[in-house]
Coordinates of all heavy atoms in Angstrom, one line a residue:
T3 N -54.9 -88.1 -43.0 CA -56.3 -87.7 -43.5 C -57.3 -87.6 -42.4 O -58.1 -86.7 -42.4 CB -56.8 -88.8 -44.5 OG1 -55.8 -89.0 -45.6 CG2 -58.1 -88.5 -45.1
A4 N -57.2 -88.5 -41.4 CA -58.1 -88.4 -40.2 C -57.9 -87.1 -39.5 O -58.9 -86.5 -39.0 CB -57.9 -89.6 -39.3
V5 N -56.7 -86.7 -39.3 CA -56.4 -85.4 -38.7 C -56.9 -84.2 -39.5 O -57.5 -83.3 -39.0 CB -54.8 -85.3 -38.5 CG1 -54.5 -83.8 -38.1 CG2 -54.3 -86.2 -37.4
E6 N -56.7 -84.3 -40.8 CA -57.2 -83.2 -41.7 C -58.7 -83.1 -41.6 O -59.3 -82.0 -41.8 CB -56.8 -83.5 -43.1 CG -55.3 -83.3 -43.4 CD -54.8 -83.7 -44.7 OE1 -55.6 -84.4 -45.5 OE2 -53.6 -83.5 -45.1
L7 N -59.4 -84.2 -41.4 CA -60.9 -84.2 -41.3 C -61.4 -84.0 -40.0 O -62.6 -84.2 -39.7 CB -61.4 -85.5 -42.0 CG -61.2 -85.6 -43.5 CD1 -61.6 -87.0 -44.0 CD2 -61.9 -84.6 -44.3
G8 N -60.5 -83.8 -39.0 CA -60.9 -83.4 -37.7 C -61.2 -84.6 -36.8 O -61.8 -84.4 -35.7
M9 N -60.8 -85.9 -37.2 CA -61.1 -87.0 -36.4 C -59.8 -87.9 -36.3 O -59.7 -89.0 -36.9 CB -62.2 -87.9 -37.0 CG -63.6 -87.2 -36.8 SD -64.2 -87.3 -35.2 CE -64.6 -89.0 -35.0
P10 N -58.8 -87.4 -35.5 CA -57.5 -88.1 -35.5 C -57.6 -89.5 -35.0 O -56.7 -90.4 -35.4 CB -56.7 -87.3 -34.6 CG -57.6 -86.4 -33.9 CD -58.7 -86.2 -34.7
I11 N -58.6 -89.8 -34.2 CA -58.7 -91.3 -33.7 C -59.3 -92.2 -34.7 O -59.5 -93.4 -34.4 CB -59.6 -91.3 -32.4 CG1 -61.0 -90.9 -32.7 CG2 -58.9 -90.5 -31.3 CD1 -61.9 -91.1 -31.5
S12 N -59.7 -91.7 -35.9 CA -60.4 -92.6 -36.9 C -59.5 -93.1 -38.0 O -60.0 -93.4 -39.0 CB -61.6 -91.8 -37.4 OG -62.6 -91.6 -36.4
A13 N -58.2 -93.1 -37.8 CA -57.3 -93.7 -38.8 C -57.7 -95.1 -39.0 O -57.5 -95.7 -40.1 CB -55.9 -93.6 -38.3
N14 N -58.2 -95.8 -38.0 CA -58.6 -97.2 -38.2 C -59.8 -97.3 -39.1 O -59.8 -98.3 -39.9 CB -59.0 -97.8 -36.8 CG -60.1 -97.1 -36.1 OD1 -60.4 -95.9 -36.3 ND2 -60.6 -97.8 -35.1
I15 N -60.7 -96.4 -39.1 CA -61.8 -96.4 -40.1 C -61.2 -96.2 -41.5 O -61.8 -96.8 -42.5 CB -62.8 -95.3 -39.8 CG1 -63.3 -95.3 -38.4 CG2 -64.0 -95.3 -40.7 CD1 -63.9 -96.6 -38.0
Y16 N -60.2 -95.4 -41.7 CA -59.6 -95.3 -43.0 C -59.0 -96.6 -43.5 O -59.1 -97.0 -44.6 CB -58.5 -94.2 -42.9 CG -57.9 -93.7 -44.2 CD1 -58.3 -92.5 -44.7 CD2 -56.9 -94.4 -44.9 CE1 -57.7 -92.0 -45.9 CE2 -56.4 -93.9 -46.0 CZ -56.8 -92.7 -46.5 OH -56.2 -92.2 -47.7
M17 N -58.4 -97.3 -42.6 CA -57.7 -98.5 -42.9 C -58.8 -99.6 -43.3 O -58.5 -100.4 -44.2 CB -56.8 -99.0 -41.8 CG -55.6 -98.1 -41.4 SD -54.6 -97.8 -42.8 CE -53.7 -99.4 -42.9
I18 N -59.9 -99.6 -42.6 CA -60.9 -100.6 -43.0 C -61.5 -100.3 -44.4 O -61.8 -101.2 -45.1 CB -62.1 -100.7 -41.9 CG1 -62.9 -101.9 -42.1 CG2 -63.0 -99.4 -42.0 CD1 -62.4 -103.2 -41.7
G19 N -61.5 -99.0 -44.7 CA -61.9 -98.6 -46.1 C -60.9 -99.2 -47.1 O -61.3 -99.7 -48.1
G20 N -59.6 -99.1 -46.8 CA -58.6 -99.7 -47.7 C -58.7 -101.2 -47.8 O -58.6 -101.7 -48.9
L21 N -59.0 -101.8 -46.7 CA -59.2 -103.3 -46.8 C -60.4 -103.7 -47.6 O -60.4 -104.6 -48.4 CB -59.4 -103.9 -45.4 CG -59.6 -105.4 -45.3 CD1 -58.4 -106.2 -45.7 CD2 -60.1 -105.8 -43.9
V22 N -61.5 -102.9 -47.4 CA -62.8 -103.3 -48.1 C -62.5 -103.1 -49.6 O -63.0 -104.0 -50.4 CB -63.9 -102.4 -47.6 CG1 -65.1 -102.5 -48.6 CG2 -64.4 -102.8 -46.2
K23 N -61.8 -102.0 -50.0 CA -61.5 -101.9 -51.5 C -60.7 -103.0 -52.0 O -60.9 -103.5 -53.0 CB -60.9 -100.5 -51.7 CG -60.4 -100.2 -53.1 CD -61.6 -100.4 -54.1 CE -62.5 -99.2 -53.9 NZ -63.5 -99.2 -55.0
L24 N -59.7 -103.4 -51.2 CA -58.8 -104.5 -51.7 C -59.6 -105.8 -51.8 O -59.6 -106.5 -52.9 CB -57.7 -104.8 -50.6 CG -56.9 -106.1 -50.7 CD1 -56.1 -106.1 -52.0 CD2 -56.1 -106.3 -49.5
L25 N -60.4 -106.1 -50.8 CA -61.2 -107.4 -50.8 C -62.3 -107.4 -51.9 O -62.7 -108.4 -52.4 CB -61.7 -107.8 -49.5 CG -60.7 -108.1 -48.4 CD1 -61.3 -108.4 -47.1 CD2 -59.7 -109.1 -48.9
S26 N -62.8 -106.2 -52.2 CA -63.8 -106.1 -53.3 C -63.1 -106.3 -54.7 O -63.7 -106.9 -55.5 CB -64.6 -104.8 -53.2 OG -63.7 -103.7 -53.5
L27 N -61.9 -105.7 -54.8 CA -61.3 -105.9 -56.1 C -60.9 -107.3 -56.4 O -60.8 -107.7 -57.6 CB -60.0 -105.0 -56.1 CG -60.3 -103.5 -56.2 CD1 -59.0 -102.7 -56.0 CD2 -60.9 -103.1 -57.6
V28 N -60.6 -108.1 -55.4 CA -60.2 -109.5 -55.6 C -61.4 -110.4 -55.4 O -61.3 -111.6 -55.4 CB -59.1 -109.9 -54.6 CG1 -57.8 -109.1 -54.9 CG2 -59.5 -109.8 -53.1
E29 N -62.6 -109.8 -55.4 CA -63.9 -110.5 -55.4 C -64.2 -111.4 -54.1 O -64.9 -112.4 -54.2 CB -64.1 -111.3 -56.6 CG -64.0 -110.5 -57.9 CD -64.0 -111.2 -59.2 OE1 -64.0 -112.5 -59.1 OE2 -64.1 -110.6 -60.2
V30 N -63.6 -111.0 -53.0 CA -63.8 -111.7 -51.7 C -65.1 -111.1 -51.1 O -65.9 -111.7 -50.4 CB -62.6 -111.6 -50.7 CG1 -63.0 -112.0 -49.4 CG2 -61.5 -112.4 -51.3
L31 N -65.3 -109.7 -51.2 CA -66.4 -109.0 -50.7 C -67.2 -108.3 -51.8 O -66.6 -107.9 -52.8 CB -66.0 -107.9 -49.6 CG -65.4 -108.5 -48.2 CD1 -65.0 -107.3 -47.5 CD2 -66.5 -109.3 -47.6
D32 N -68.4 -108.1 -51.6 CA -69.2 -107.2 -52.4 C -69.2 -105.8 -51.8 O -69.6 -105.6 -50.7 CB -70.7 -107.7 -52.5 CG -71.6 -106.7 -53.3 OD1 -71.5 -106.8 -54.5 OD2 -72.3 -105.9 -52.7
E33 N -68.7 -104.9 -52.5 CA -68.4 -103.5 -52.0 C -69.7 -102.8 -51.6 O -69.8 -102.3 -50.5 CB -67.7 -102.7 -53.0 CG -67.2 -101.3 -52.5 CD -66.3 -100.6 -53.4 OE1 -65.7 -101.2 -54.3 OE2 -66.1 -99.4 -53.2
D34 N -70.8 -102.9 -52.4 CA -72.0 -102.1 -52.0 C -72.6 -102.7 -50.7 O -73.0 -101.9 -49.9 CB -73.0 -102.2 -53.2 CG -72.5 -101.4 -54.4 OD1 -71.7 -100.6 -54.2 OD2 -73.0 -101.7 -55.5
S35 N -72.7 -104.0 -50.6 CA -73.3 -104.5 -49.4 C -72.4 -104.3 -48.2 O -72.9 -104.2 -47.0 CB -73.6 -106.1 -49.6 OG -72.5 -106.8 -49.8
T36 N -71.1 -104.3 -48.4 CA -70.2 -104.1 -47.3 C -70.3 -102.6 -46.8 O -70.3 -102.4 -45.6 CB -68.8 -104.4 -47.7 OG1 -68.7 -105.8 -48.1 CG2 -67.8 -104.2 -46.5
D37 N -70.4 -101.7 -47.8 CA -70.6 -100.3 -47.4 C -71.9 -100.1 -46.5 O -71.9 -99.4 -45.5 CB -70.8 -99.5 -48.6 CG -69.5 -99.3 -49.4 OD1 -68.4 -99.7 -48.9 OD2 -69.6 -98.8 -50.5
K38 N -72.9 -100.9 -46.8 CA -74.1 -100.8 -46.0 C -73.9 -101.3 -44.6 O -74.4 -100.7 -43.6 CB -75.2 -101.6 -46.7 CG -76.6 -101.5 -45.9 CD -77.7 -102.4 -46.7 CE -79.0 -102.3 -45.9 NZ -80.0 -103.1 -46.6
I39 N -73.1 -102.4 -44.5 CA -72.8 -102.9 -43.2 C -72.0 -101.9 -42.4 O -72.3 -101.7 -41.2 CB -72.1 -104.3 -43.3 CG1 -73.0 -105.4 -43.9 CG2 -71.5 -104.8 -42.0 CD1 -72.3 -106.6 -44.3
I40 N -71.0 -101.3 -43.0 CA -70.2 -100.4 -42.3 C -71.0 -99.2 -41.8 O -70.8 -98.8 -40.6 CB -69.1 -99.8 -43.2 CG1 -68.0 -100.9 -43.5 CG2 -68.4 -98.6 -42.7 CD1 -67.2 -101.4 -42.4
R41 N -71.9 -98.7 -42.6 CA -72.8 -97.6 -42.1 C -73.6 -98.0 -40.9 O -73.9 -97.2 -40.0 CB -73.7 -97.2 -43.2 CG -73.1 -96.5 -44.4 CD -74.1 -96.0 -45.4 NE -73.5 -95.5 -46.6 CZ -73.4 -96.3 -47.7 NH1 -74.0 -97.5 -47.7 NH2 -72.8 -95.8 -48.8
E42 N -74.0 -99.3 -40.8 CA -74.8 -99.7 -39.7 C -74.0 -99.9 -38.4 O -74.4 -99.8 -37.3 CB -75.5 -101.1 -40.0 CG -76.5 -101.0 -41.1 CD -77.1 -102.3 -41.6 OE1 -76.5 -103.3 -41.1 OE2 -78.0 -102.3 -42.4
L43 N -72.7 -100.2 -38.6 CA -71.8 -100.6 -37.5 C -71.1 -99.4 -36.9 O -70.7 -99.4 -35.7 CB -70.8 -101.6 -37.9 CG -71.3 -103.0 -38.2 CD1 -70.2 -103.9 -38.7 CD2 -72.1 -103.6 -37.0
L44 N -70.8 -98.3 -37.7 CA -70.1 -97.2 -37.1 C -70.9 -96.5 -36.1 O -72.2 -96.4 -36.2 CB -69.8 -96.2 -38.3 CG -68.7 -96.6 -39.2 CD1 -68.5 -95.6 -40.3 CD2 -67.3 -96.9 -38.5
P45 N -70.3 -95.9 -35.0 CA -71.1 -95.2 -34.0 C -71.8 -94.0 -34.7 O -71.3 -93.4 -35.6 CB -69.9 -94.7 -33.1 CG -68.8 -95.6 -33.3 CD -68.9 -96.0 -34.8
S46 N -73.0 -93.7 -34.1 CA -73.8 -92.6 -34.7 C -73.1 -91.3 -34.5 O -73.2 -90.3 -35.2 CB -75.1 -92.6 -34.0 OG -75.0 -92.5 -32.6
R47 N -72.2 -91.1 -33.4 CA -71.5 -89.9 -33.2 C -70.5 -89.7 -34.3 O -69.7 -90.6 -34.7 CB -70.8 -90.0 -31.8 CG -69.9 -88.8 -31.6 CD -69.3 -88.9 -30.2 NE -68.3 -87.8 -30.0 CZ -67.0 -88.0 -30.3 NH1 -66.6 -89.1 -30.8 NH2 -66.1 -87.0 -30.0
A48 N -70.6 -88.5 -35.0 CA -69.7 -88.2 -36.0 C -69.7 -89.1 -37.2 O -68.7 -89.3 -37.9 CB -68.2 -88.0 -35.5
I49 N -70.9 -89.7 -37.4 CA -71.1 -90.7 -38.5 C -70.7 -90.1 -39.9 O -70.0 -90.8 -40.7 CB -72.5 -91.3 -38.5 CG1 -72.6 -92.4 -39.5 CG2 -73.5 -90.2 -38.7 CD1 -71.9 -93.7 -39.3
D50 N -71.1 -88.9 -40.2 CA -70.8 -88.4 -41.5 C -69.3 -88.2 -41.7 O -68.8 -88.6 -42.8 CB -71.5 -87.0 -41.6 CG -73.0 -87.2 -41.7 OD1 -73.5 -88.3 -42.1 OD2 -73.7 -86.2 -41.5

């Protein structure tokens, strides 16, 4: 998916997405607030 979207080095970002979904489903994390944190922590370059 990272290659298809033009960012092959961002497979790690895909994996953190998978982890956040898992931990939100088991009620360890709040998904909405975690999404906000991720937006703040990702580098501004190619953020979208």
Side-chain angles (χ1 to χ4, degrees):
T3 304
V5 168
E6 290 172 352
L7 293 174
M9 289 289 289
I11 63 172
S12 291
N14 58 342
I15 305 302
Y16 192 101
M17 298 301 288
I18 195 76
L21 178 69
V22 167
K23 176 57 72 172
L24 167 68
L25 295 182
S26 65
L27 288 172
V28 298
E29 301 176 354
V30 169
L31 290 176
D32 176 77
E33 187 170 343
D34 290 339
S35 62
T36 303
D37 288 349
K38 182 179 179 181
I39 293 170
I40 291 292
R41 290 188 192 97
E42 293 172 354
L43 294 176
L44 288 177
S46 57
R47 177 178 170 271
I49 182 70
D50 291 339

